[in-house]
Amino acid sequence: MRPFACLLTLLTACDGGKDTASVAPTRAPNPTCLAPARPSTGVDIGLERVWPRLSFDAPVVLTQAPGDASRWYVVEQGGRVMVFDAAAETTSADEVLDLTDAVEAGYSETGLLGMAFHPDFAENGEVYLSYVQPDPLASIVSRFTSPDGGATLDPDSEEVLLTVRQPFTNHNGGHISFGPDGYLYIGLGDGGSAGDPQENGQNTDTLLGKMLRIDVDGGDPYAIPSDTPFAEGGGEPEIYAWGLRNPWKFSFDTASDDLWAGDVGQDRREEVDIVLNGGNYGWNLKEGTECYAADDPCDGGGLIDPVVEYSHIQGESITGGYVYRGAEIPAFAGTYFYADYVSGTVWALTWDAITGEADPTVVAESGFYVSTFAQDTAGELYLVDYLGGGIRKLVATTPGGEAAPFPATLEETGCFDADGTPVDALVPYTVNSPFWSDGAEKSRWFAIPDGTTVTVDETGDFVFPIGTVLAKHFTRGGEDMETRLFVRHEDGEWAGYSYAWDGGATSLLASTEVRTFESGDWVYPSRAQCLQCHTGAAGRSLGLEVSQVDRPAEDGANQLALWETMGLLSGEIPAITALPSPSGDAPVEDRARAYLHANCSNCHRPEGTGQGPADMRATTPLSDTNLCAQAPQEGDLGVDGAVLLDPGRPETSILSLRMHTLDANRMPEVGSRVVDEAGVALVDAWIGGLTACP
């Protein structure tokens, strides 16, 4: 065991054994434990915030009208279309259309999802929108007209072109775009749930799980182009390509006319496809290049593999992008950019159309949920932050020499001594309901720059200043395994870094690893996986929230009170009930809800990355959690009539079953290889004790 002498230096003076219990705690200076510069990706690409005074509510589309560089249009998932002036000093946006009463926006994947200007918009004023309507749940593609050149859309002008019933509230796709052939392309997911239970992907008698193509200028309400695969029968005539799970964003290369799409995977693979007329992309026979059912080898004949794929080690939900055809970053001409919605990772992909060779390179770790890309009329590219509502432009970085490498050892971070002892500036803390880490014991600290303070938002989450370092050390069975840093860089975004322990030495890891210790295997997360758990919706820091740290420190004083006395906290601290310990004597329901809060609510909450509307925060009344008697969106795990929470029956509750398993259905899905027997037993006891839904 490495030494942890004087961990409470900031709480009691630790002066050679001298009794200092009566001395008021002071804040140690912090000259060294500060967030290092973000490590270079090795490429000259940056993300620059543009229109910094603008912020949108859950934006999913950013686009311009054909040939008009003066304005930008934003689609908000809740049902509004907004427009703003492209001038850099713009401070406000105007409403173009409000469809909030017409769309189903109560789920994570429904809502207003797509917008496309007719190529002849300047002459005919036509704009096409894609949304999911409630009751009956269905994907709608409609035509609207603008009476004033795009300032507004006339809500009474709506003409519904296409209605596709949706069996579930996820995998709706919804992106639409006009192709170079003048036809409207429509991406639809497989209908939802998990694993494509209705087998829509391979069924050409349904429009679900397909790329569609229609001629909006012919027929009533549209015509079928003569060269589509089933124009003369044998399948639905609108189908252009099939075997897609959930195409989230596609685009046409303005030079080659190739149709690029990102197709969201199930549990293992995310993929980039070039979509061809009549192409079958494999779902649900295959997920990426792998057979979907591991125990059922699939026949890959006639199926088109992705151009490139990545595993859920690197992210969980692809966001398709664009081939760069701008002039400001000439080194990346012809490069396809795409991202992962959950991890925020951005890739640049070079692809040889003749040999099929693909070379993806990570160019940025954005730190936010990339909901969509955009391409302006000049070919420059932009990324949209779903939760923060901001817009960033892909730019060439300013020459200025190579960035300093990220510290290779813990000692080089300035936060720990050579033997692993934390510096005085690191403030230790404990939490009421800890996150399960495969049985590891954890020590936790935070450090902030001198002259700064931490504030607390209305939900109780700590808001840390730029330069903050959060640190966590993991031991199990007396073995030091990992020290993990989570830092807020100079750009305001967070990133995680893992240091592995080996014989008393530490080394920075660049990607996920699994190492074997006497106590069993230990999984080191990748940097992308850190952000998959430390979500923006949960405030990034997770354990540092009022309900978790409102508890005694080791000397018996309340942690929050100590930190206020030390000048670490400023502003008002909201009154929020502290979480009980899972092993304490509080009622079973309170302890189980606290456990779910600590282990699940980082993703499963409003605007979180978890599938469906489940809200597992402890502060949410059970009746509002969307758990009890709710059908699962990501599969029934083979249980007839399965629901997320079945009162009195943990054996048919998906919530419990996912905690029990270690296969691809496991929750939490990142990093864990050991079932928390005590935690599962607690949740099962709570479910078993329920007699009905509230």
Side-chain angles (χ1 to χ4, degrees):
M1 289 284 288
R2 63 194 181 88
F4 285 102
C6 297
L7 292 189
L8 299 180
T9 301
L10 297 176
L11 307 183
T12 58
C14 195
D15 184 14
K18 179 181 178 181
D19 182 6
T20 58
S22 61
V23 177
T26 58
R27 175 176 175 175
N30 182 15
T32 63
C33 189
L34 304 168
R38 187 182 293 276
S40 171
T41 60
V43 294
D44 299 324
I45 288 288
L47 301 178
E48 178 183 286
R49 180 74 186 265
V50 286
W51 306 291
R53 297 183 183 182
L54 289 180
S55 182
F56 298 93
D57 185 11
V60 293
V61 176
L62 175 67
T63 190
Q64 290 185 315
D68 182 4
S70 67
R71 293 179 295 183
W72 282 98
Y73 292 82
V74 174
V75 170
E76 296 180 334
Q77 188 178 2
R80 294 196 308 166
V81 179
M82 308 296 291
V83 65
F84 65 91
D85 193 286
E89 65 274 10
T90 294
T91 61
S92 62
D94 297 318
E95 185 176 281
V96 177
L97 180 68
D98 185 350
L99 286 181
T100 54
D101 291 338
V103 308
E104 172 57 76
Y107 300 92
S108 61
E109 297 185 30
T110 59
L112 181 56
L113 303 174
M115 179 178 183
F117 287 89
H118 192 284
D120 297 326
F121 170 75
E123 289 75 39
N124 61 26
E126 292 180 1
V127 176
Y128 295 77
L129 297 179
S130 167
Y131 61 92
V132 178
Q133 72 168 23
D135 195 27
L137 194 71
S139 290
I140 306 293
V141 177
S142 290
R143 173 165 43 212
F144 291 80
T145 57
S146 173
D148 45 23
T152 64
L153 294 178
D154 180 4
D156 295 328
S157 69
E158 181 177 12
E159 178 187 2
V160 175
L161 304 184
L162 189 68
T163 300
V164 182
R165 291 289 297 271
Q166 290 284 357
F168 302 98
T169 57
N170 59 336
H171 306 181
N172 305 122
H175 184 61
I176 57 177
S177 178
F178 278 91
D181 52 14
Y183 299 137
L184 182 64
Y185 289 71
I186 303 162
L188 290 179
D190 65 8
S193 188
D196 193 10
Q198 298 183 343
E199 300 184 347
N200 292 322
Q202 292 299 311
N203 181 4
T204 56
D205 289 327
T206 176
L207 299 183
L208 296 172
K210 311 297 189 297
M211 183 70 73
L212 311 180
R213 183 179 67 162
I214 60 176
D215 178 4
V216 300
D217 295 322
D220 184 17
Y222 56 81
I224 301 298
S226 60
D227 63 340
T228 49
F230 308 113
E232 302 300 327
E236 291 298 312
E238 293 88 352
I239 295 174
Y240 180 79
W242 62 98
L244 299 170
R245 181 178 177 274
N246 191 29
W248 184 247
K249 302 303 176 181
F250 57 87
S251 65
F252 292 90
D253 182 353
T254 56
S256 69
D257 292 345
D258 289 333
L259 173 53
W260 292 78
D263 195 22
V264 179
Q266 181 68 49
D267 299 309
R268 298 189 298 269
R269 316 296 291 175
E270 303 295 311
E271 66 183 82
V272 173
D273 297 307
I274 292 183
V275 182
L276 304 176
N277 191 3
N280 182 348
Y281 292 84
W283 179 250
N284 70 351
L285 299 176
K286 298 178 76 174
E287 182 181 4
T289 58
E290 299 179 353
C291 292
Y292 174 62
D295 58 349
D296 182 19
C298 57
D299 179 7
L303 305 181
I304 301 176
D305 281 341
V307 173
V308 73
E309 62 184 338
Y310 61 90
S311 76
H312 280 198
I313 291 173
Q314 298 170 286
E316 294 183 21
S317 182
I318 192 170
T319 297
Y322 288 84
V323 174
Y324 180 74
R325 295 297 179 186
E328 296 179 12
I329 322 175
F332 288 88
T335 300
Y336 178 71
F337 287 90
Y338 62 102
D340 188 85
Y341 170 78
V342 175
S343 70
T345 304
V346 182
W347 288 268
L349 171 67
T350 57
W351 177 68
D352 189 318
I354 298 175
T355 66
E357 293 183 2
D359 182 18
T361 301
V362 173
V363 294
E365 299 287 356
S366 71
F368 58 83
Y369 302 147
V370 183
S371 61
T372 189
F373 283 76
Q375 186 177 51
D376 66 19
T377 57
E380 303 302 329
L381 299 186
Y382 302 77
L383 290 77
V384 176
D385 176 358
Y386 178 80
L387 187 59
I391 301 167
R392 288 168 175 81
K393 184 179 181 181
L394 208 65
V395 297
T397 54
T398 303
E402 294 185 4
F406 201 83
T409 67
L410 273 179
E411 183 180 8
E412 292 176 24
T413 67
C415 296
F416 294 85
D417 294 340
D419 61 2
T421 301
V423 299
D424 288 351
L426 277 168
V427 181
Y429 70 96
T430 57
V431 297
N432 288 315
S433 183
F435 184 86
W436 168 251
S437 298
D438 284 4
E441 297 178 356
K442 288 171 281 190
S443 301
R444 308 170 182 85
W445 307 266
F446 70 88
I448 59 176
D450 290 337
T452 67
T453 59
V454 179
T455 60
V456 183
D457 68 18
E458 66 277 3
T459 68
D461 284 329
F462 279 30
V463 180
F464 287 95
I466 288 174
T468 291
V469 175
L470 312 182
K472 188 182 295 183
H473 180 70
F474 301 82
T475 62
R476 190 173 60 191
E479 296 178 286
D480 296 314
M481 298 181 295
E482 179 186 0
T483 301
R484 197 175 296 168
L485 301 187
F486 194 56
V487 306
R488 193 174 187 197
H489 285 299
E490 67 282 352
D491 58 4
E493 305 295 348
W494 290 86
Y497 304 91
S498 288
Y499 290 86
W501 282 81
D502 185 7
T506 63
S507 58
L508 176 67
L509 301 182
S511 60
T512 189
E513 285 191 25
V514 180
R515 297 188 183 182
T516 300
F517 293 83
E518 290 185 8
S519 59
D521 288 348
W522 181 255
V523 181
Y524 299 88
S526 68
R527 295 171 189 175
Q529 285 176 320
C530 288
L531 293 176
Q532 289 173 218
C533 286
H534 288 268
T535 65
R540 295 296 187 197
S541 67
L542 302 187
L544 283 155
E545 57 178 315
V546 170
S547 64
Q548 285 279 30
V549 299
D550 185 4
R551 57 177 282 118
E554 290 193 12
D555 69 346
N558 181 275
Q559 289 184 136
L560 288 172
L562 279 170
W563 298 342
E564 284 189 294
T565 301
M566 295 162 62
L568 293 166
L569 302 183
S570 63
E572 184 177 353
I573 298 177
I576 295 176
T577 302
L579 296 175
S581 167
S583 59
D585 56 5
V588 169
E589 178 171 1
D590 293 345
R591 290 186 284 127
R593 293 293 309 278
Y595 182 91
L596 296 176
H597 180 96
N599 288 273
C600 308
S601 76
N602 54 320
C603 292
H604 293 285
R605 63 170 61 204
E607 299 183 319
T609 57
Q611 292 292 336
D615 182 357
M616 299 194 195
R617 294 175 298 174
T619 53
T620 303
L622 180 57
S623 58
D624 296 333
T625 60
N626 298 304
L627 289 174
C628 204
Q630 295 295 311
Q633 290 196 11
E634 287 294 305
D636 59 14
L637 306 190
V639 176
D640 290 337
V643 293
L644 296 180
L645 192 159
D646 191 357
R649 302 182 64 194
E651 67 276 8
T652 57
S653 298
I654 296 297
L655 174 62
S656 170
L657 295 176
R658 288 192 180 277
M659 294 172 62
H660 276 279
T661 187
L662 290 175
D663 62 18
N665 296 307
R666 175 158 177 73
M667 287 292 172
E669 62 184 343
V670 173
S672 177
R673 293 192 169 198
V674 180
V675 172
D676 182 3
E677 300 293 347
V680 172
L682 173 61
V683 172
D684 284 355
W686 167 54
I687 296 174
L690 293 172
T691 57
C693 291

